[in-house]
């Protein structure tokens, strides 16, 4: 009876989300036409970061805060960049999904050692895994271009007459991916599996005592969140046209963590509010960029002290 009530409530909330998305979609389609080229780029990068954050928020629901998320996104980025710059380049639409798959496989590979840790040990183990992966981007020069990275990454082929070579066209691509990923993750968050993952995070010992496979319910969000990171990384590489290992360093990873803390991870859309706040700080202090990381840190401390 309780599960039936919770399922009906989840369906109602999801249908409400679809309705809001349908109402907002025409406005989001028209948005870039009211902006300059610079602000269009800001919106595109914001949306890509939103995809990364939604995947990161999924990982936090299992009770751990990973510091390898951005490096995992780098796998998606380097997969797309490498395969699309070959003499016989691959299609973006193939590399897009392949990059996400490789990111998920990496998460599966490291899940056994890192998910055996808890609390700050989990944070440190994922930090080590992320840094090891980033060093691979530097050292495997024949594939990744080393510290110079990969340049001249082409944009996706046009579909339905939409030219993804323009910032406006690429915004539409990123928007659709963000909405699809967001709705899927929101429905997953509301599902019985999503609720069980949160229950395991709240009390793992009690969950085990009633027969829940806690290992599976911790591994699943870790892998799925990394797959979403792979999607975000592929989009970033393609939009930017060039990538290098510094695009996935710990400072930028801290931005994702800060956005999650400032916005909160208890609600699905909290991380997006945090990202909006941090992006606003970046733009306000664009001419004083050296102050931005300090302001991120002050914001995190202020939220934690509330």
């Amino acid at each position: 009876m309780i599960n039936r009530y919770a399922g009906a409530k989840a369906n109602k909330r999801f249908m409400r989300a679809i309705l809001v998305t349908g109402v907002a979609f025409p406005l989001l389609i028209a948005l870039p036409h009211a902006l300059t080229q610079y602000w269009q780029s800001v919106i595109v990068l914001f949306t890509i970061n939103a995809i990364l954050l939604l995947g990161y928020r999924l990982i936090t629901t299992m009770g751990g805060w990973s510091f390898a998320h951005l490096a995992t996104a780098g796998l998606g980025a380097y997969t797309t960049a490498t395969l699309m710059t070959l003499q016989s380049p691959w299609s973006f639409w193939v590399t897009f999904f392949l990059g996400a798959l490789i990111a998920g496989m990496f998460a599966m590979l490291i899940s056994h050692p890192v998910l055996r840790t808890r609390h700050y040990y989990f944070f440190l183990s994922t930090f080590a895994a992320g840094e090891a992966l980033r060093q691979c981007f530097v050292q495997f020069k024949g594939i990744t271009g080393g510290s110079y990275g990969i340049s001249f990454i082409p944009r996706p082929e046009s579909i339905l007459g939409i030219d993804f070579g323009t910032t406006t066209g690429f915004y539409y691509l990123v928007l659709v991916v963000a909405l699809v990923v967001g709705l899927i993750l929101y429905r997953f968050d509301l599902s019985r599996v999503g609720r069980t993952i949160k229950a395991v995070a709240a009390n793992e010992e009690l969950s085990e005592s009633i027969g829940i496979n806690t290992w599976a319910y911790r591994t699943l969000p870790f892998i799925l969140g990394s797959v979403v990171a792979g999607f975000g990384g592929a989009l970033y590489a393609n939009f930017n046209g060039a990538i290098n290992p510094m695009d996935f360093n710990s400072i930028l990873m801290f931005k994702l963590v800060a956005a999650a803390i400032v916005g909160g991870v208890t609600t699905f859309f909290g991380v997006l509010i945090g990202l909006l706040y941090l992006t606003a700080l970046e733009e306000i202090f664009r001419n004083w960029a050296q102050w931005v990381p300090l302001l991120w840190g002050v914001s995190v401390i202020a939220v934690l002290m509330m």
Side-chain angles (χ1 to χ4, degrees), residues 25 29 32 37 40-41 44 48 84 91-94 96 153-178 234-241:
F25 190 69
I29 289 292
Q37 185 82 8
Q40 287 180 12
S41 298
V44 169
I48 293 173
M84 291 189 71
S91 167
F92 167 79
W93 309 108
V94 175
F96 179 63
I153 305 168
R155 289 283 178 88
E157 311 89 278
S158 298
I159 291 182
L160 300 175
I162 301 176
D163 182 9
F164 297 119
T166 65
T167 305
T168 302
F170 202 87
Y171 164 78
Y172 292 144
L173 170 62
V174 173
L175 175 64
V176 170
V177 173
L235 290 170
Y236 174 78
N238 207 257
F239 177 69
N240 203 44

Side-chain angles (χ1 to χ4, degrees), residues 10-11 15 21 24 34 48 50 147 187 189 212 282 289:
N11 290 335
M15 292 307 297
T21 301
I48 293 173
S147 58
R187 188 65 189 89
D189 190 65
I212 294 176
E282 282 183 306

Side-chain angles (χ1 to χ4, degrees), residues 9 27 32 37 39 51 55 76 84 102-103 124 143 152 161 165 184 194 211 213 221 255:
K9 186 177 179 181
L27 298 176
Q37 185 82 8
W39 285 106
I51 294 171
M84 291 189 71
I102 291 175
L124 291 174
I143 300 174
F152 306 108
I184 291 174
N213 186 343
K255 179 181 178 180

Side-chain angles (χ1 to χ4, degrees), residues 2 24 32 48 52 85 93 117 142 179 188 232 247-250 255 258 260 266 274:
I2 295 176
I48 293 173
L52 293 173
T85 53
W93 309 108
T117 60
L179 291 177
F188 182 82
D247 289 326
F248 311 100
N249 61 27
S250 57
K255 179 181 178 180
T266 54

Side-chain angles (χ1 to χ4, degrees), residues 6-275:
K9 186 177 179 181
N11 290 335
K12 185 176 180 180
R13 291 174 64 182
F14 182 64
M15 292 307 297
R16 191 183 303 133
I18 292 178
L19 179 61
V20 171
T21 301
V23 171
F25 190 69
L27 298 176
L28 295 173
I29 289 292
L31 179 62
H33 299 288
L35 302 174
T36 63
Q37 185 82 8
Y38 172 79
W39 285 106
Q40 287 180 12
S41 298
V42 171
I43 295 298
V44 169
L45 290 174
F46 173 87
T47 309
I48 293 173
N49 286 331
I51 294 171
L52 293 173
L53 260 175
L54 289 176
Y56 187 69
R57 191 254 171 194
L58 175 60
I59 293 175
T60 65
T61 60
M62 61 86 177
W65 288 64
S66 171
F67 213 74
H69 194 65
L70 196 61
T72 305
L75 285 172
Y78 272 100
T79 299
T80 291
T82 301
L83 297 178
M84 291 189 71
T85 53
L86 295 173
Q87 288 187 346
S88 299
W90 290 39
S91 167
F92 167 79
W93 309 108
V94 175
T95 65
F96 179 63
F97 290 99
L98 182 59
L101 177 62
I102 291 175
M105 290 174 64
F106 172 75
M108 186 182 297
L109 180 66
I110 67 172
S111 63
H112 182 69
V114 302
L115 291 179
R116 295 176 65 186
T117 60
R118 299 293 186 273
H119 308 301
Y120 54 84
Y121 293 110
F122 176 79
F123 188 86
L124 291 174
S125 64
T126 54
F127 174 78
E131 283 302 299
L133 180 58
R134 198 171 71 84
Q135 284 302 311
C136 289
F137 297 155
V138 176
Q139 299 301 327
F140 288 90
K141 300 178 182 179
I143 300 174
T144 65
S147 58
Y148 294 102
I150 301 174
S151 302
F152 306 108
I153 305 168
R155 289 283 178 88
E157 311 89 278
S158 298
I159 291 182
L160 300 175
I162 301 176
D163 182 9
F164 297 119
T166 65
T167 305
T168 302
F170 202 87
Y171 164 78
Y172 292 144
L173 170 62
V174 173
L175 175 64
V176 170
V177 173
L179 291 177
V180 171
V181 167
L183 287 173
I184 291 174
L185 292 185
Y186 186 57
R187 188 65 189 89
F188 182 82
D189 190 65
L190 296 173
S191 69
R192 183 176 180 178
V193 174
R195 297 195 303 271
T196 304
I197 289 170
K198 295 173 189 174
V200 170
N203 195 324
E204 189 172 349
E205 291 77 12
L206 178 60
S207 299
E208 282 185 347
S209 69
I210 60 176
I212 294 176
N213 186 343
T214 57
W215 182 263
Y217 280 103
R218 296 185 74 233
T219 304
L220 179 61
F222 187 67
I223 294 174
L224 290 182
S226 299
V227 168
V228 174
F231 284 134
L235 290 170
Y236 174 78
N238 207 257
F239 177 69
N240 203 44
I243 56 170
N244 66 71
M246 289 303 295
D247 289 326
F248 311 100
N249 61 27
S250 57
I251 295 176
L252 296 177
M253 182 63 230
F254 175 70
K255 179 181 178 180
L256 295 183
V257 175
I261 293 174
V262 171
V265 296
T266 54
T267 61
F268 185 81
F269 300 102
V271 291
L272 301 183
I273 296 173
L275 178 61

